[in-house]
Amino acid sequence: MSDELIISGGGSVSVSTEEMLVAVGALQRTAEMTRDIAGAIQMVDARLTISQLETLGIPTAAARAEDDLDFAFSDLQRVAHRAEHLSNLVRFAADSYGLAEAFAEGVSRKIMADAAAWLGFLFPTHAAVLALSVTAVPILLGITAAALVTGRNPAEVFVSEKFTAELNELISDPAYVLAVRFGVMNADEFLAGAAGLPPSLVSVLSAAGVLGLPTAAGAIQRLGGVAGVLKETPVQLVSKSDTTRVEPAHSVEERANRIAQPTPDLPFQIRIEKTSFPGEDDSFEVYVSGTVDFAFSDSEQPFDGTSNLSLAADQEAAAYSAVVAAMAEAGITAESAVALTGHSQGAAIAARLAESEDYNVTGLVGFGGNTGQIKIPPTVPTLLFEHSDDIVPAAGGIQGNQHAVIVEREVFAGRPLPDGVMAPAHQLDEYRETARLLDGTDSEFLRDTVSNLTPTVHKDAVTTVTSYEYERVQP
């Protein structure tokens, strides 16, 4: 398991490891402390001249101590300068890498978008067939051949442990995850080209932000609606827990631990904590679970596959409606200070809530959410965790929230994938471990980031928690 954290964003182009951030802070502190010592020496030196020492009857050898003070001052200034220079070099390395990565990403995005538009324009009816021929047909032939050799039904091979393990290896490969991230970004250009728009116009629309992931997701949703799936419904409150007292979360790991993972015994998808103090307005922390059911139709669960697509299409998903209803039930208004934390689909919902600007969002923490193309306001302090071997964040495209602090980690670098767990890097437990690593950092920048996301709570304030379960209302 890799414990190395890659940090980017925060309004900067820098891409650096946690160790680099720690080194920058340590070198900067060394420079400041050395300058303080040099300043104290200079103050002593200014008050004790050689003539003063001779007047006081101090031996000549002692008087030469002033020369030593001068040398010490000069040496300390040089040490401070070198420490500051090294700190700047580390920053420069991080900035240069970040600029190069951003440039390469931008160029690749432009080339791939234009290529997708031309492909769709020139081969609107053949491109999909071509793609299937190149990828799906060899796989199907291989599966059929394997079935004939083993004497098994071809359908059984699809659910074989070997096939599942190999598929898991593929979707957990950071290179494949990155390819998916770029591929998602180009789906809309392909669809626009296939619809007959000239590639030059598609390029202009793409650059202007008219085309985007919501365009492609919306088209898929409309096609699904024709087929009788991917249809949104209202929601209703089914149950809620008793309200009990709780200590507020003080770390990122504590926040991750409070995200619900619904089970038949504890089906709550939403947890809301309210902090009250006499004479002040209540503040709230909302925790939202990830996808519970991957169904695209006939599901009573609002946190399902349909909601995932609706969120990508910037439509009002049932899961989003459930969280809005729970917030209203808890007494949250447009003026209430509210911090949002979510995993997977829950992180996307938190981002959409912040994007709406219907609430006074004081902070947002997202774990493994496909939030890349959801425009979180720059005024909202945001911390996003995205594992480089987790395919789910890649489904949201390239991360466009430059103000957010992005924490990445390759979870399964140097260790095998666990058996029987699909997309293991997406599991909440793995993100909880990444949060623990972040909490233990020596980086001043990261500690400040966490501090900005942690509301100040009075010692005598009372925090209570209530959890909510919602379901779809089928027509």
Side-chain angles (χ1 to χ4, degrees), residues 115-116 118-134 190 194:
W118 275 106
L119 183 65
F121 183 74
L122 295 175
F123 308 103
T125 59
H126 299 87
V129 175
L130 178 63
L132 286 173
S133 299
V134 173
F190 172 80

Side-chain angles (χ1 to χ4, degrees), residues 227-426:
V229 296
L230 300 174
K231 290 185 176 181
E232 282 300 355
T233 66
V235 296
Q236 64 182 6
L237 177 64
V238 178
S239 64
K240 67 177 183 178
S241 69
D242 295 332
T243 300
T244 57
R245 288 193 63 168
V246 67
E247 282 295 314
H250 297 291
S251 68
V252 182
E253 184 184 12
E254 286 181 21
R255 281 186 170 79
N257 287 336
R258 296 185 185 202
I259 299 173
Q261 290 184 289
T263 64
D265 293 332
L266 291 171
F268 308 113
Q269 310 108 331
I270 305 152
R271 171 189 175 112
I272 299 180
E273 296 179 5
K274 179 174 74 172
T275 298
S276 304
F277 186 75
E280 293 190 5
D281 295 332
D282 294 337
S283 62
F284 298 85
E285 296 242 8
V286 178
Y287 298 88
V288 189
S289 79
T291 305
V292 181
D293 184 351
F294 287 90
F296 291 102
S297 65
D298 300 325
S299 172
E300 293 184 348
Q301 175 59 248
F303 287 74
D304 61 0
T306 298
S307 280
N308 274 323
L309 195 61
S310 296
L311 287 164
D314 197 12
Q315 301 298 315
E316 189 162 325
Y320 181 94
S321 299
V323 177
V324 169
M327 291 169 69
E329 181 78 14
I332 298 174
T333 67
E335 292 75 31
S336 302
V338 56
L340 305 171
T341 301
H343 170 241
S344 192
Q345 185 178 134
I349 292 170
R352 287 291 183 200
L353 287 167
E355 180 189 44
S356 73
E357 298 189 275
D358 291 337
Y359 299 95
N360 175 24
V361 179
T362 58
L364 190 158
V365 181
F367 298 94
N370 48 349
T371 60
Q373 297 302 297
I374 301 176
K375 296 177 181 178
I376 302 170
T379 53
V380 176
T382 304
L383 179 61
L384 301 176
F385 291 79
E386 297 183 350
H387 290 154
S388 58
D389 44 358
D390 179 5
I391 197 170
V392 175
I398 295 170
Q399 184 54 252
N401 294 293
Q402 297 301 316
H403 75 285
V405 175
I406 314 297
V407 180
E408 296 181 80
R409 180 169 75 100
E410 185 181 348
V411 177
F412 290 96
R415 65 167 172 148
L417 301 179
D419 294 332
V421 181
M422 288 300 292
H426 185 63

Side-chain angles (χ1 to χ4, degrees), residues 183-247:
V184 165
M185 295 297 295
N186 298 318
D188 50 338
E189 282 87 356
F190 172 80
L191 290 173
L197 292 180
S200 58
L201 177 58
V202 173
S203 181
V204 171
L205 293 175
S206 178
V210 176
L211 296 177
L213 178 59
T215 307
I220 295 172
Q221 192 172 42
R222 285 189 291 274
L223 288 172
V226 173
V229 296
L230 300 174
K231 290 185 176 181
E232 282 300 355
T233 66
V235 296
Q236 64 182 6
L237 177 64
V238 178
S239 64
K240 67 177 183 178
S241 69
D242 295 332
T243 300
T244 57
R245 288 193 63 168
V246 67
E247 282 295 314

Side-chain angles (χ1 to χ4, degrees), residues 44-69:
V44 172
D45 187 31
R47 293 181 178 180
L48 292 175
T49 64
I50 292 178
S51 59
Q52 286 175 324
L53 291 171
E54 290 176 346
T55 302
L56 294 171
I58 296 175
T60 304
R64 291 174 183 168
E66 190 190 11
D67 292 334
D68 294 334
L69 289 175

Side-chain angles (χ1 to χ4, degrees), residues 160-170 417 419-420 422:
S160 71
E161 290 184 5
K162 184 178 179 182
F163 178 82
T164 302
E166 290 177 351
L167 177 62
N168 212 15
E169 289 280 355
L170 175 66
L417 301 179
D419 294 332
M422 288 300 292

Side-chain angles (χ1 to χ4, degrees), residues 23-82:
V24 166
L27 287 167
Q28 197 62 43
R29 286 192 299 274
T30 298
E32 292 169 359
M33 291 172 62
T34 305
R35 284 204 171 93
D36 288 341
I37 295 170
I41 289 174
Q42 189 178 39
M43 182 177 66
V44 172
D45 187 31
R47 293 181 178 180
L48 292 175
T49 64
I50 292 178
S51 59
Q52 286 175 324
L53 291 171
E54 290 176 346
T55 302
L56 294 171
I58 296 175
T60 304
R64 291 174 183 168
E66 190 190 11
D67 292 334
D68 294 334
L69 289 175
D70 290 336
F71 287 130
F73 174 77
S74 298
D75 286 344
L76 286 169
Q77 287 284 40
R78 280 193 292 272
V79 169
H81 176 74
R82 288 174 182 173

